[in-house]
Amino acid sequence: MVVRELSPDEVDRIFHGLADATRRDIVEQVLREAQSISTLARRYEMSFAAVQKHVAVLERAALVTKQRRGREQLVHGNPEALQRAARLLEDYERIWRHRVRAIEDILAEDALTQDPEERTEP
């Protein structure tokens, strides 16, 4: 399970990185094509420094990487990190589905053990 492969801090960083709409948009943009921070900053109504901070949060979560090209830093999306996040959510879904099946089994077992006169028809 991915839940056990990632430390609690790593999970927190991934979800924190994806919790903000601007950061999700940045991830989407750089997955399509690597972009400089200044190019990214032109997309948003915020300062260059604010975009830089968003990129730093994404970098700490390993959702993006930066690569120096001359005076610029290109931001690249990290599809492997997104795959880890997707597997993590799938793991949580499996846990949830297992719990739902267990509840269904308990209800079915309970229905079988009830006295037929006590059963209520829908």
Side-chain angles (χ1 to χ4, degrees):
M1 283 183 101
V2 175
V3 173
R4 293 186 190 120
E5 291 175 18
L6 298 171
S7 74
D9 287 342
E10 289 171 313
V11 173
D12 287 347
R13 284 191 295 270
I14 288 170
F15 284 118
H16 177 69
L18 295 172
D20 181 83
T22 300
R23 289 193 293 267
R24 289 191 304 273
D25 189 63
I26 290 170
V27 169
E28 183 179 335
Q29 297 306 314
V30 299
L31 282 169
R32 293 172 198 247
E33 178 182 10
Q35 297 184 36
S36 69
I37 295 175
S38 53
T39 300
L40 287 168
R42 286 193 289 271
R43 293 183 54 84
Y44 307 103
E45 293 185 18
M46 61 181 72
S47 68
F48 176 86
V51 172
Q52 215 169 14
K53 287 180 183 179
H54 280 301
V55 170
V57 169
L58 293 169
E59 191 175 28
R60 279 192 297 276
L63 293 164
V64 303
T65 59
K66 290 192 296 191
Q67 176 186 28
R68 187 157 291 287
R69 186 183 73 185
R71 293 172 28 132
E72 291 185 316
Q73 288 202 16
L74 289 181
V75 181
H76 298 266
N78 183 358
E80 292 83 19
L82 288 174
Q83 289 169 342
R84 282 194 304 273
R87 285 195 311 271
L88 179 65
L89 292 172
E90 288 167 0
D91 287 347
Y92 287 137
E93 181 182 5
R94 268 193 291 283
I95 292 166
W96 175 78
R97 288 188 184 280
H98 176 73
R99 185 175 179 143
V100 168
R101 278 193 300 277
I103 292 170
E104 288 172 343
D105 291 346
I106 290 169
L107 292 174
E109 185 179 306
D110 192 42
L112 290 174
T113 60
Q114 274 187 350
D115 183 2
E117 292 181 17
E118 291 179 10
R119 291 186 192 160
T120 56
E121 296 298 319

